[in-house]
Amino acid sequence: MAGNGFRFPKMDFPADVEELRHDVRGFLRAERANGGFTPIADCWGSGLSTEFSRKLGQRGYLAVTWPKQYGGQEKTMLHRYVITEELVSAGAPVAAHWVADRQSGPLILRYGTEEQKQSILPRIAGGECYFAIGMSEPGSGSDLASVRTSAKKVDGGWVINGAKIWSSNAHICHYMIALVRTSPIVDGQKHKGLSQFLVDLSTPGITIRGIKNIANESHFNETLFQDVFVPDDTMLGNEGDGWKQVTSELAIERAGPERFLSTTIILEEAVRAMQDTADDRIKLAFGQLVARLRTLRRMSLGVSALLQEGSSPETEAALVKEVGTRFEREIIEGVRSVAPSAPKTQGMSAYHATLREGILHIPSSTIRGGTNEVLKGIVARQLGLR
Ligand SMILES: Cc1cc2nc3c(=O)[nH]c(=O)nc-3n(C[C@H](O)[C@H](O)[C@H](O)COP(=O)(O)OP(=O)(O)OC[C@H]3O[C@@H](n4cnc5c(N)ncnc54)[C@H](O)[C@@H]3O)c2cc1C
């Protein structure tokens, strides 16, 4: 797309990237055949298996673009892209390490001290160290700069008080990168005076309480901080730079192909279940969904190309996430419209099981990582409409 400042550069897959895809596919096929996992929709949000995460680390599928000295593979964004694409579209259980590999590690690489990098990054690369996102609070979501959790300076460190909410998988995480207020708001300038901390979640004073979702599962949590002492060396980046840092974290968080692939496993299982159909209505519905999928993929690859060249494609990523998460819902509506299914609790086929997961989990995809209304606002600004 050209004009209005949007760019989606074309990217071709070199031979070694295709080889990597082949390798990942082979691994996933073997794991699935051995009972290593059962595919689920929304696998990167709710498919928790620390054992599987470790296996990915051992195979070099994590920390793909990071320097070797921190456990990385020194490969390109395109290598990372195909690994992500294969894992998510296969419905593999990748939620344990997802945040750490996708955004916390890159944030530490960019802003962390040498000691922070050396002590944490190799463990993330090994699939053994997990991170929670400490942004939202009761009363602060879209308006993130209004966070009220505060850190007060004391001898040798800081004392944190407050509450974070919707902290995905914090109950199995080792750290949270928490956005907190380190100095009061002056003249209404709420984007100033914020900082980020690398908080060890086993620190005394932290309570993590599960919040049940509609599927009766507790993937996200309330994380309460009561007089939590964190040493000076746990600050990430510079005091007062929290807003700049969290904005770059959000750009990474929104940029990946998982933002449109969370339900493609349902489409795949539906096609498999109905492959012998003679019903043109079904063929048409599947064809339309696949055509949209290809367009989104082309745009999403453009975002990866921009990241690879060192740009910060905040607007392009917002656009792909907005269209992509709506598409995730449309897959569910599309397959249900041609192949209605009654809810079952037992004896479900892979199609029914993934569809059930999708119906219960996907309503959240247009909220998490920034709501679609907020993303449309970002796109509108780029178009000069606001
Ligand atoms: C499954 C899931 C996992 C999550 N995981 C995490 C996590 O790990 N860590 C974390 O910190 N947070 C997490 N979140 C929280 C998520 O980031 C917030 O829910 C989201 O940013 C919206 O904030 P809010 O819920 O406070 O809603 P609000 O910001 O109160 O929004 C309410 C409504 O108002 C609309 N609105 C708000 N502002 C505007 C505006 N400027 N223009 C137009 N409309 C607007 C919104 O679109 C929405 O419809 C998660 C959420 C979900 C659903």
XYZ file of all heavy atoms in Angstrom, residues 133-136 140-143 165-168 220 364 367-371 373-374, ligand 1:
204
model
N 3.373 -9.208 31.404
C 3.318 -7.803 30.991
C 2.639 -7.009 32.108
O 1.486 -7.293 32.449
C 2.491 -7.648 29.690
C 3.062 -8.523 28.579
C 2.403 -6.186 29.273
C 2.155 -8.625 27.351
N 3.329 -6.042 32.661
C 2.760 -5.258 33.773
C 2.369 -3.866 33.326
O 2.979 -2.879 33.750
N 1.367 -3.801 32.456
C 0.907 -2.486 31.987
C -0.444 -2.135 32.616
O -0.547 -1.199 33.400
C 0.794 -2.473 30.464
C 2.101 -2.684 29.726
S 1.839 -2.510 27.936
C 3.313 -3.236 27.296
N -1.513 -2.880 32.258
C -2.875 -2.504 32.665
C -3.050 -2.511 34.181
O -2.413 -3.289 34.899
C -3.880 -3.481 32.065
O -3.704 -3.568 30.683
N -6.850 1.719 34.392
C -5.905 2.160 33.351
C -5.682 1.039 32.352
O -5.052 0.033 32.684
C -4.536 2.520 33.940
O -4.647 3.555 34.846
N -6.225 1.211 31.157
C -6.011 0.220 30.106
C -5.574 0.953 28.859
O -4.369 1.152 28.619
N -6.552 1.425 28.101
C -6.213 2.195 26.896
C -5.437 3.457 27.279
O -4.481 3.839 26.607
C -7.493 2.600 26.165
O -8.274 1.460 25.894
N -5.861 4.088 28.357
C -5.169 5.306 28.818
C -4.047 4.892 29.769
O -4.092 5.138 30.983
C -6.189 6.205 29.530
C -5.550 7.495 30.005
O -4.444 7.819 29.532
O -6.149 8.160 30.871
N -3.415 -5.569 36.498
C -4.521 -6.494 36.230
C -4.386 -7.092 34.829
O -3.661 -6.540 33.994
C -5.885 -5.798 36.427
C -7.004 -6.830 36.569
C -6.183 -4.804 35.306
C -8.300 -6.264 37.149
N -5.080 -8.195 34.622
C -5.066 -8.956 33.363
C -3.655 -9.454 33.033
O -3.312 -9.608 31.865
C -5.599 -8.143 32.173
C -6.839 -7.365 32.442
C -7.012 -6.029 32.279
C -8.100 -7.862 32.912
N -8.295 -5.660 32.628
C -8.979 -6.771 33.015
C -8.576 -9.135 33.262
C -10.292 -6.899 33.458
C -9.883 -9.262 33.700
C -10.724 -8.156 33.790
N -2.817 -9.677 34.055
C -1.429 -10.097 33.801
C -1.443 -11.545 33.305
O -1.528 -12.483 34.107
C -0.578 -10.019 35.063
O -1.065 -9.063 35.973
N -1.319 -11.685 31.983
C -1.433 -13.016 31.377
C -0.354 -13.948 31.897
O 0.837 -13.615 31.849
C -1.314 -12.922 29.851
O -2.402 -12.223 29.331
N -5.337 -15.197 32.988
C -4.836 -13.892 33.437
C -5.100 -13.687 34.924
O -5.853 -14.444 35.547
C -5.308 -12.728 32.584
C -6.748 -12.698 32.170
C -7.732 -13.180 32.995
C -7.110 -12.133 30.952
C -9.057 -13.120 32.622
C -8.432 -12.075 30.565
C -9.405 -12.575 31.414
N -11.667 -12.014 23.096
C -10.662 -11.140 23.724
C -9.614 -10.627 22.742
O -8.843 -9.724 23.065
C -9.958 -11.896 24.851
O -9.147 -12.904 24.308
N -9.294 -7.012 22.057
C -9.076 -6.167 23.250
C -7.609 -6.211 23.684
O -6.974 -5.188 23.907
C -9.971 -6.657 24.425
C -11.441 -6.608 24.025
C -9.714 -5.829 25.681
C -12.375 -7.276 25.036
N -7.066 -7.454 23.805
C -5.705 -7.595 24.340
C -4.687 -6.911 23.417
O -4.854 -6.924 22.198
C -5.351 -9.073 24.532
C -5.375 -9.864 23.260
C -5.141 -11.340 23.487
N -5.399 -12.080 22.278
C -5.420 -13.401 22.201
N -5.206 -14.134 23.269
N -5.655 -14.002 21.063
N -3.663 -6.325 24.032
C -2.619 -5.653 23.238
C -3.088 -4.332 22.657
O -2.430 -3.768 21.789
N -4.214 -3.818 23.142
C -4.753 -2.547 22.624
C -6.038 -2.814 21.876
O -6.064 -3.674 20.992
N -7.116 -2.111 22.241
C -8.423 -2.407 21.629
C -8.459 -1.904 20.183
O -7.695 -1.021 19.797
C -9.577 -1.741 22.402
O -9.492 -0.322 22.210
C -9.545 -2.062 23.878
N -10.625 -0.063 18.775
C -10.976 1.360 18.671
C -9.705 2.210 18.805
O -9.496 3.168 18.062
C -11.981 1.753 19.767
C -13.372 1.181 19.593
C -13.455 -0.307 19.954
O -12.557 -0.806 20.665
O -14.396 -0.972 19.493
N -8.850 1.824 19.760
C -7.607 2.577 19.968
C -6.690 2.428 18.746
O -6.075 3.401 18.292
C -6.919 2.106 21.276
C -5.495 2.608 21.379
C -7.746 2.564 22.476
C -7.016 -11.929 27.142
C -6.389 -10.662 27.626
C -5.088 -10.676 28.070
C -4.508 -9.513 28.545
N -3.230 -9.570 29.030
C -2.673 -8.465 29.546
C -1.368 -8.528 30.131
O -0.728 -9.584 30.155
N -0.858 -7.419 30.710
C -1.525 -6.235 30.692
O -0.983 -5.265 31.195
N -2.767 -6.133 30.164
C -3.351 -7.226 29.591
N -4.614 -7.156 29.054
C -5.352 -5.894 29.188
C -5.570 -5.158 27.872
O -4.386 -4.597 27.406
C -6.656 -4.101 28.163
O -7.852 -4.800 28.457
C -6.859 -3.177 27.001
O -5.748 -2.362 26.795
C -8.119 -2.293 27.216
O -8.080 -1.653 28.452
P -9.333 -1.714 29.447
O -9.740 -3.141 29.603
O -8.971 -0.955 30.673
O -10.516 -0.991 28.678
P -10.740 0.586 28.530
O -9.452 1.236 28.161
O -11.446 1.070 29.752
O -11.703 0.631 27.290
C -13.123 0.395 27.401
C -13.737 0.663 26.027
O -13.521 2.039 25.661
C -12.880 2.129 24.397
N -11.903 3.234 24.385
C -11.008 3.543 25.342
N -10.250 4.584 24.967
C -10.659 4.926 23.726
C -10.255 5.926 22.778
N -9.244 6.767 23.049
N -10.903 5.980 21.595
C -11.916 5.130 21.305
N -12.356 4.171 22.166
C -11.735 4.063 23.344
C -12.139 0.817 24.238
O -11.920 0.501 22.884
C -13.085 -0.173 24.909
O -14.097 -0.573 23.999
C -5.236 -8.298 28.567
C -6.556 -8.284 28.109
C -7.135 -9.444 27.642
C -8.550 -9.394 27.151
